[in-house]
Amino acid sequence: MTAGPESGRLPSAYLVPGSSSFTEFLSAHAPALLPSRRPLPPQATLDAPHGTTIVTVTFRGGVVMAGDRRATMGNIIANRDMEKVFATDEYSLVGIAGTAGLAIELVRLFQVELEHYEKIEGTLMSLEGKANRLASMIRGNLGMAMQGLAVVPMFAGYDLIEDRGRIFSYDVTGGCYEEHDHHSVGSGSLFARGAMKKLYRRDQAAGDAVRVAVEALYDAADDDSATGGPDVGRRIWPTVGVVDAEGARFVTDDEVAGVVEAVIADRRDNPGGAR
Amino acid sequence: MSAGMPFYVSPEQLMKDRADFARKGIARGRAVVVLQYDGGVAFVAENPSRALHKVSEIYDRIAFAAVGKYPEFENLRVAGVRYADLRGYSYDRSDVTARGLANAYAQTLGTVFTQESKPYEVELVVAEVGDTADGDQIYRLTYDGSVGDEHGYVAMGGGAEQIDAGLQQDWRPGMHLADALALAVRQLGADPAGGEPRTLTGDQLEVAVLDRNRPRRRFRRVQGELLTRLLSSEDPTADVPVPDEDDSPRASSTNPQTQRDSERDQDRDVDGGADA
């Protein structure tokens, strides 16, 4: 690979003391591997799969992030069981909306970035630090965003200093904003936000937050054709991640199935759902 | 004409001087022992510092231990993390191997030894834990870039020969962690001059394991109360707990392609295959 053609020794760039950022190391040493360094032909637009709706809800002592499983390409369903919520390290989750290929590459890079920092510095990065690192990666993608390949992630994590779950949203220019209580991004986000506004209770328990997230996704899928609803036939359920003082984990498919089935049962003959 | 002419030094003499210089530097430091136990590979260093590590995580299954000059091996450690992360990022996590890293270190140390004004005064171990003890790999690298493929145990640093002899006598395959640690600590505390052995306690030691029973990131530092319990001959604790209390799902979490493997192990191959 990059270990120099003439010998197997580590290239001198590896031995330069300094940055504990993997992205900075890549941009100096292997810039072609960075998603933001790929030039696009001017004026070209292309159809690529897009991820759709992500919702995030806080609860007492943590935060829940959930995403539907659909990726669309125009009117086509490009993928019906895509994962769009990822654990980025021990205490954080990221969900992605926008161009799926770029977004997944970005998450991969972000995951390595956090682990790299942890290994080199011997300590975890602060939650704000992680949110800012993600912002700078989005900023690097602005050129592609202007040609229709936008990536809009949402970041949520447990703040070990403040002992609470926190949510950060982003815009295509890399703007990073802290959100309170709940937030949603993606094509179905308007409907999901409306649902969460009505369902959210401050200081609710984790289980209630999971229910709110699943129900908000249900509402998003109800009104947005690009958001996938729960697929009872194929048993494809939303991805639901939880992060609290114990760390980040995923709710198992069986548990999510139970929540989804409860939502569906409650909505029979009552399409508006809970009041 | 001859004013700038240096005295002739034979290549043999030059290499010998360099080797003596590096060996002296390395022998001044406190020793590190790396040894296999039934659940993986253990690293034990006499190191009172909590901040300046001699043992570190490189990648999922790979760890690094070093003796000698701190700034030099720290530099090599960071280079190793960069090598591993870059390789894992551009290929796959399973393509990062201890053998590859040991080769890169060997070439680097060898080049520095012959070409730079002074050799690195370091000795390294790169170890990888396998799914079974047969799959464990331990590579020892010396200041001149020689690589040794070790089995069972390695000692490096001050008094390494005596420690090695002690390990050869008492190390057995399939030891429990507590027994392996006790053996390593006993050897580290022995006086090479034959005097009264020292009893090393938890806060004078840096201990870590590559635990084959952990998911994904197998490196774990063993410190505080757990280390005290493992070192105590009265306490029944013989291994790191699985699943242990301060463990977390980080293990199954850091790659979009692999993060939910643990849940799906039953019905699909764990190859990090494309979910998305």
Side-chain angles (χ1 to χ4, degrees):
Chain A
M1 191 196 34
T2 36
E6 72 293 331
S7 77
R9 73 170 288 189
L10 293 162
S12 52
Y14 287 43
L15 292 155
V16 174
S19 173
S20 46
S21 162
F22 183 67
T23 318
E24 278 168 29
F25 171 64
L26 273 192
S27 63
H29 185 68
L33 288 173
L34 284 177
S36 54
R37 295 292 179 86
R38 249 161 261 154
L40 280 179
Q43 261 95 52
T45 54
L46 61 133
D47 244 356
H50 274 61
T52 47
T53 309
I54 305 291
V55 298
T56 312
V57 190
T58 59
F59 60 90
R60 194 182 341 110
V63 56
V64 166
M65 182 182 281
D68 72 310
R69 305 287 291 273
R70 183 171 290 180
T72 57
M73 203 160 68
N75 66 314
I76 303 288
I77 294 175
N79 194 315
R80 60 177 93 252
D81 65 350
M82 174 182 272
E83 303 264 8
K84 291 182 283 189
V85 176
F86 304 102
T88 35
D89 70 355
E90 210 168 337
Y91 292 105
S92 65
L93 296 164
V94 65
I96 48 163
T99 314
L102 278 178
I104 287 173
E105 190 177 358
L106 209 82
V107 170
R108 228 161 82 82
L109 182 59
F110 184 54
Q111 289 172 324
V112 179
E113 173 85 11
L114 299 186
E115 188 182 315
H116 190 80
Y117 180 93
E118 189 189 328
K119 287 190 286 199
I120 292 197
E121 298 287 322
T123 173
L124 285 169
M125 202 186 295
S126 67
L127 190 66
E128 301 250 0
K130 294 177 205 172
N132 288 331
R133 289 309 304 165
L134 186 56
S136 71
M137 291 185 188
I138 304 299
R139 214 165 287 140
N141 195 50
L142 184 60
M144 296 219 236
M146 291 176 74
Q147 293 187 283
L149 300 177
V151 176
V152 187
M154 189 153 54
F155 179 67
Y158 185 76
D159 192 321
L160 290 161
I161 298 159
E162 297 185 16
D163 287 328
R164 63 187 178 96
R166 298 172 69 183
I167 305 171
F168 297 87
S169 74
Y170 296 86
D171 64 30
V172 285
T173 63
C176 172
Y177 316 94
E178 179 160 11
E179 305 289 344
H180 299 283
D181 301 339
H182 51 79
H183 195 67
S184 174
V185 290
S187 62
S189 61
L190 285 183
F191 311 110
R193 273 184 221 179
M196 285 192 289
K197 205 178 279 176
K198 303 294 179 206
L199 296 171
Y200 178 79
R201 299 283 174 269
R202 198 155 276 151
D203 278 338
Q204 61 194 340
D208 299 329
V210 170
R211 160 90 190 205
V212 170
V214 169
E215 193 149 0
L217 282 176
Y218 189 94
D219 278 315
D222 211 19
D223 288 311
D224 170 38
S225 62
T227 303
D231 191 333
V232 183
R234 293 189 181 82
R235 302 192 69 75
I236 298 173
W237 315 114
T239 314
V240 185
V242 179
V243 52
D244 56 18
E246 313 259 281
R249 64 187 170 277
F250 287 92
V251 181
T252 62
D253 274 359
D254 289 344
E255 282 174 71
V256 179
V259 178
V260 168
E261 275 152 11
V263 169
I264 293 172
D266 290 350
R267 295 217 172 187
R268 190 162 294 143
D269 297 328
N270 179 22
R275 298 239 183 280
Chain B
M1 182 73 195
S2 64
M5 188 79 166
F7 293 107
Y8 174 76
V9 183
S10 74
E12 288 88 349
Q13 188 59 42
L14 186 68
M15 290 300 133
K16 190 178 167 300
D17 288 351
R18 286 178 171 230
D20 286 346
F21 170 81
R23 265 202 294 267
K24 258 183 228 153
I26 293 161
R28 270 197 294 271
R30 300 221 182 267
V32 175
V33 170
V34 180
L35 71 175
Q36 281 178 281
Y37 68 101
D38 59 353
V41 182
F43 302 79
V44 187
E46 185 180 353
N47 182 8
S49 170
R50 290 281 148 270
L52 307 178
H53 294 301
K54 290 182 171 180
V55 179
S56 305
E57 175 185 17
I58 295 281
Y59 210 63
D60 297 353
R61 292 160 164 273
I62 305 171
F64 168 98
V67 293
K69 259 203 149 84
Y70 178 77
E72 292 178 351
F73 69 68
E74 171 64 8
N75 213 346
L76 289 166
R77 178 188 75 92
V78 170
V81 171
R82 287 173 175 165
Y83 166 92
D85 277 341
L86 178 54
R87 196 167 178 93
Y89 181 68
S90 49
Y91 295 89
D92 182 74
R93 298 198 77 92
S94 58
D95 296 315
V96 182
T97 59
R99 198 177 58 81
L101 180 61
N103 263 325
Y105 277 145
Q107 300 292 341
T108 307
L109 288 165
T111 316
V112 170
F113 183 75
T114 50
Q115 292 174 10
E116 308 272 311
S117 55
K118 128 186 165 32
Y120 276 154
E121 296 159 72
V122 297
E123 210 165 305
L124 316 176
V125 160
V126 175
E128 175 174 339
V129 68
D131 292 330
T132 62
D134 293 340
D136 293 347
Q137 297 167 43
I138 302 176
Y139 298 100
R140 175 203 196 135
L141 294 123
T142 51
Y143 52 84
D144 59 353
S146 328
V147 197
D149 184 357
E150 308 285 342
H151 296 280
Y153 54 84
V154 183
M156 19 177 223
E161 289 86 44
Q162 285 93 332
I163 297 176
D164 212 63
L167 289 168
Q168 187 174 10
Q169 196 180 326
D170 290 340
W171 181 84
R172 299 282 172 274
M175 290 175 104
H176 290 312
L177 179 60
D179 300 338
L181 292 185
L183 168 59
V185 171
R186 200 165 60 238
Q187 295 303 331
L188 287 171
D191 183 358
E196 192 65 17
R198 298 171 303 142
T199 311
L200 298 171
T201 58
D203 49 0
Q204 293 163 282
L205 294 167
E206 182 184 356
V207 177
V209 290
L210 281 170
D211 176 355
R212 75 175 99 258
N213 298 313
R214 288 166 72 83
R216 207 172 74 74
R217 284 173 81 176
R218 287 173 166 87
F219 182 82
R220 160 181 186 153
R221 291 192 185 282
V222 180
Q223 46 203 6
E225 205 206 328
L226 176 60
L227 179 58
T228 314
R229 290 210 312 269
L230 283 165
L231 290 178
S232 146
S233 50
E234 287 99 65
D235 194 285
T237 310
D239 199 353
V240 287
V242 181
D244 59 61
E245 63 277 7
D246 55 288
D247 195 8
S248 68
R250 61 140 45 158
S252 48
S253 75
T254 307
N255 189 315
Q257 282 88 48
T258 56
Q259 62 173 346
R260 303 232 287 175
D261 271 347
S262 54
E263 206 177 294
R264 294 173 179 186
D265 273 359
Q266 289 86 354
D267 44 44
R268 63 190 299 168
D269 219 359
V270 190
D271 56 2
D275 276 351

Short mmCIF file of all heavy atoms in Angstrom, two decimals, chain B residues 133-161:
data_model
loop_
_atom_site.label_atom_id
_atom_site.label_comp_id
_atom_site.label_asym_id
_atom_site.label_seq_id
_atom_site.Cartn_x
_atom_site.Cartn_y
_atom_site.Cartn_z
N ALA B 133 -5.23 -20.18 21.07
CA ALA B 133 -3.84 -19.90 21.43
C ALA B 133 -2.89 -20.16 20.25
O ALA B 133 -1.87 -19.49 20.11
CB ALA B 133 -3.44 -20.75 22.63
N ASP B 134 -3.26 -21.10 19.38
CA ASP B 134 -2.40 -21.38 18.22
C ASP B 134 -2.35 -20.21 17.27
O ASP B 134 -1.40 -20.06 16.50
CB ASP B 134 -2.92 -22.61 17.47
CG ASP B 134 -2.77 -23.88 18.27
OD1 ASP B 134 -1.94 -23.86 19.22
OD2 ASP B 134 -3.48 -24.86 17.98
N GLY B 135 -3.38 -19.40 17.29
CA GLY B 135 -3.43 -18.26 16.38
C GLY B 135 -2.72 -17.02 16.92
O GLY B 135 -2.61 -16.02 16.23
N ASP B 136 -2.28 -17.06 18.17
CA ASP B 136 -1.58 -15.89 18.74
C ASP B 136 -0.22 -15.71 18.06
O ASP B 136 0.46 -16.68 17.73
CB ASP B 136 -1.34 -16.10 20.24
CG ASP B 136 -2.63 -16.11 21.04
OD1 ASP B 136 -3.67 -15.72 20.49
OD2 ASP B 136 -2.58 -16.51 22.23
N GLN B 137 0.14 -14.45 17.85
CA GLN B 137 1.45 -14.17 17.25
C GLN B 137 2.17 -13.15 18.11
O GLN B 137 1.57 -12.16 18.51
CB GLN B 137 1.29 -13.60 15.85
CG GLN B 137 0.64 -14.54 14.86
CD GLN B 137 0.24 -13.81 13.59
OE1 GLN B 137 0.99 -13.00 13.07
NE2 GLN B 137 -0.95 -14.09 13.11
N ILE B 138 3.44 -13.41 18.37
CA ILE B 138 4.25 -12.45 19.13
C ILE B 138 5.54 -12.21 18.36
O ILE B 138 6.31 -13.14 18.13
CB ILE B 138 4.56 -12.99 20.55
CG1 ILE B 138 3.26 -13.29 21.31
CG2 ILE B 138 5.40 -11.99 21.32
CD1 ILE B 138 3.48 -13.91 22.68
N TYR B 139 5.76 -10.98 17.94
CA TYR B 139 6.98 -10.64 17.23
C TYR B 139 7.82 -9.73 18.10
O TYR B 139 7.33 -8.75 18.65
CB TYR B 139 6.67 -9.94 15.91
CG TYR B 139 5.88 -10.80 14.97
CD1 TYR B 139 4.51 -10.64 14.84
CD2 TYR B 139 6.51 -11.79 14.22
CE1 TYR B 139 3.77 -11.44 13.99
CE2 TYR B 139 5.78 -12.61 13.37
CZ TYR B 139 4.41 -12.43 13.26
OH TYR B 139 3.69 -13.23 12.43
N ARG B 140 9.10 -10.06 18.18
CA ARG B 140 10.00 -9.22 18.94
C ARG B 140 10.94 -8.53 17.96
O ARG B 140 11.52 -9.17 17.08
CB ARG B 140 10.81 -10.10 19.88
CG ARG B 140 11.85 -9.35 20.65
CD ARG B 140 12.94 -10.31 21.09
NE ARG B 140 13.72 -9.68 22.14
CZ ARG B 140 14.08 -10.29 23.25
NH1 ARG B 140 13.75 -11.53 23.46
NH2 ARG B 140 14.81 -9.65 24.13
N LEU B 141 11.08 -7.21 18.10
CA LEU B 141 11.92 -6.45 17.18
C LEU B 141 13.03 -5.78 17.96
O LEU B 141 12.78 -5.14 18.99
CB LEU B 141 11.09 -5.39 16.48
CG LEU B 141 10.05 -5.98 15.56
CD1 LEU B 141 8.67 -5.51 15.95
CD2 LEU B 141 10.37 -5.63 14.13
N THR B 142 14.25 -5.92 17.47
CA THR B 142 15.35 -5.28 18.18
C THR B 142 15.78 -4.01 17.44
O THR B 142 15.31 -3.73 16.34
CB THR B 142 16.54 -6.25 18.31
OG1 THR B 142 16.82 -6.77 17.02
CG2 THR B 142 16.21 -7.39 19.25
N TYR B 143 16.69 -3.26 18.10
CA TYR B 143 17.13 -1.95 17.61
C TYR B 143 17.64 -1.96 16.17
O TYR B 143 17.59 -0.97 15.47
CB TYR B 143 18.22 -1.41 18.55
CG TYR B 143 19.33 -2.43 18.76
CD1 TYR B 143 20.37 -2.53 17.84
CD2 TYR B 143 19.30 -3.32 19.83
CE1 TYR B 143 21.36 -3.48 18.00
CE2 TYR B 143 20.27 -4.29 19.99
CZ TYR B 143 21.30 -4.36 19.07
OH TYR B 143 22.26 -5.31 19.19
N ASP B 144 18.16 -3.10 15.69
CA ASP B 144 18.72 -3.12 14.33
C ASP B 144 17.72 -3.65 13.31
O ASP B 144 18.06 -3.83 12.14
CB ASP B 144 19.99 -3.99 14.30
CG ASP B 144 19.72 -5.42 14.74
OD1 ASP B 144 18.59 -5.70 15.18
OD2 ASP B 144 20.64 -6.26 14.64
N GLY B 145 16.49 -3.91 13.75
CA GLY B 145 15.47 -4.34 12.80
C GLY B 145 15.35 -5.84 12.67
O GLY B 145 14.59 -6.32 11.83
N SER B 146 16.07 -6.61 13.50
CA SER B 146 15.87 -8.07 13.45
C SER B 146 14.51 -8.40 14.05
O SER B 146 14.08 -7.77 15.01
CB SER B 146 16.92 -8.82 14.25
OG SER B 146 18.12 -8.15 14.23
N VAL B 147 13.86 -9.38 13.46
CA VAL B 147 12.55 -9.81 13.96
C VAL B 147 12.64 -11.23 14.46
O VAL B 147 13.22 -12.08 13.80
CB VAL B 147 11.49 -9.83 12.83
CG1 VAL B 147 10.09 -9.86 13.42
CG2 VAL B 147 11.65 -8.67 11.89
N GLY B 148 12.07 -11.47 15.61
CA GLY B 148 11.97 -12.84 16.10
C GLY B 148 10.51 -13.20 16.27
O GLY B 148 9.72 -12.40 16.76
N ASP B 149 10.17 -14.40 15.82
CA ASP B 149 8.79 -14.89 15.96
C ASP B 149 8.78 -15.72 17.23
O ASP B 149 9.34 -16.80 17.28
CB ASP B 149 8.48 -15.74 14.72
CG ASP B 149 7.05 -16.22 14.72
OD1 ASP B 149 6.34 -15.96 15.70
OD2 ASP B 149 6.66 -16.86 13.74
N GLU B 150 8.19 -15.19 18.29
CA GLU B 150 8.33 -15.81 19.61
C GLU B 150 7.12 -16.66 19.96
O GLU B 150 6.01 -16.39 19.51
CB GLU B 150 8.50 -14.73 20.69
CG GLU B 150 9.59 -13.72 20.39
CD GLU B 150 10.99 -14.29 20.61
OE1 GLU B 150 11.10 -15.32 21.31
OE2 GLU B 150 11.96 -13.71 20.07
N HIS B 151 7.35 -17.66 20.77
CA HIS B 151 6.24 -18.50 21.23
C HIS B 151 6.20 -18.50 22.74
O HIS B 151 7.23 -18.73 23.38
CB HIS B 151 6.39 -19.92 20.70
CG HIS B 151 6.31 -19.95 19.20
ND1 HIS B 151 5.12 -19.89 18.53
CD2 HIS B 151 7.29 -19.94 18.28
CE1 HIS B 151 5.36 -19.89 17.24
NE2 HIS B 151 6.67 -19.91 17.04
N GLY B 152 5.06 -18.22 23.30
CA GLY B 152 4.90 -18.32 24.74
C GLY B 152 5.19 -17.05 25.49
O GLY B 152 4.31 -16.47 26.09
N TYR B 153 6.43 -16.59 25.44
CA TYR B 153 6.79 -15.45 26.28
C TYR B 153 7.99 -14.70 25.70
O TYR B 153 8.78 -15.26 24.94
CB TYR B 153 7.15 -15.93 27.70
CG TYR B 153 8.20 -17.00 27.66
CD1 TYR B 153 9.56 -16.67 27.60
CD2 TYR B 153 7.86 -18.34 27.62
CE1 TYR B 153 10.53 -17.62 27.51
CE2 TYR B 153 8.82 -19.32 27.53
CZ TYR B 153 10.16 -18.95 27.48
OH TYR B 153 11.13 -19.90 27.36
N VAL B 154 8.13 -13.44 26.07
CA VAL B 154 9.26 -12.62 25.69
C VAL B 154 9.57 -11.71 26.87
O VAL B 154 8.66 -11.21 27.52
CB VAL B 154 8.94 -11.69 24.50
CG1 VAL B 154 10.16 -10.91 24.08
CG2 VAL B 154 8.37 -12.43 23.33
N ALA B 155 10.83 -11.46 27.12
CA ALA B 155 11.22 -10.41 28.07
C ALA B 155 12.18 -9.48 27.38
O ALA B 155 13.02 -9.91 26.60
CB ALA B 155 11.88 -11.04 29.30
N MET B 156 12.03 -8.19 27.59
CA MET B 156 12.99 -7.24 27.04
C MET B 156 13.30 -6.15 28.06
O MET B 156 12.55 -5.94 29.01
CB MET B 156 12.50 -6.61 25.74
CG MET B 156 11.03 -6.70 25.47
SD MET B 156 10.56 -5.87 23.97
CE MET B 156 9.09 -5.08 24.60
N GLY B 157 14.41 -5.46 27.85
CA GLY B 157 14.82 -4.40 28.77
C GLY B 157 15.87 -4.90 29.75
O GLY B 157 16.49 -5.95 29.53
N GLY B 158 16.06 -4.15 30.83
CA GLY B 158 17.11 -4.48 31.81
C GLY B 158 16.90 -5.85 32.43
O GLY B 158 15.81 -6.19 32.84
N GLY B 159 17.93 -6.66 32.46
CA GLY B 159 17.85 -7.98 33.08
C GLY B 159 17.04 -8.99 32.29
O GLY B 159 16.58 -10.00 32.84
N ALA B 160 16.88 -8.73 30.99
CA ALA B 160 16.00 -9.58 30.18
C ALA B 160 16.45 -11.04 30.14
O ALA B 160 15.63 -11.95 30.14
CB ALA B 160 15.87 -9.03 28.77
N GLU B 161 17.79 -11.26 30.16
CA GLU B 161 18.26 -12.65 30.04
C GLU B 161 17.81 -13.48 31.24
O GLU B 161 17.31 -14.60 31.09
CB GLU B 161 19.79 -12.73 29.93
CG GLU B 161 20.35 -12.24 28.61
CD GLU B 161 20.58 -10.74 28.63
OE1 GLU B 161 21.11 -10.25 29.65
OE2 GLU B 161 20.20 -10.06 27.67
#
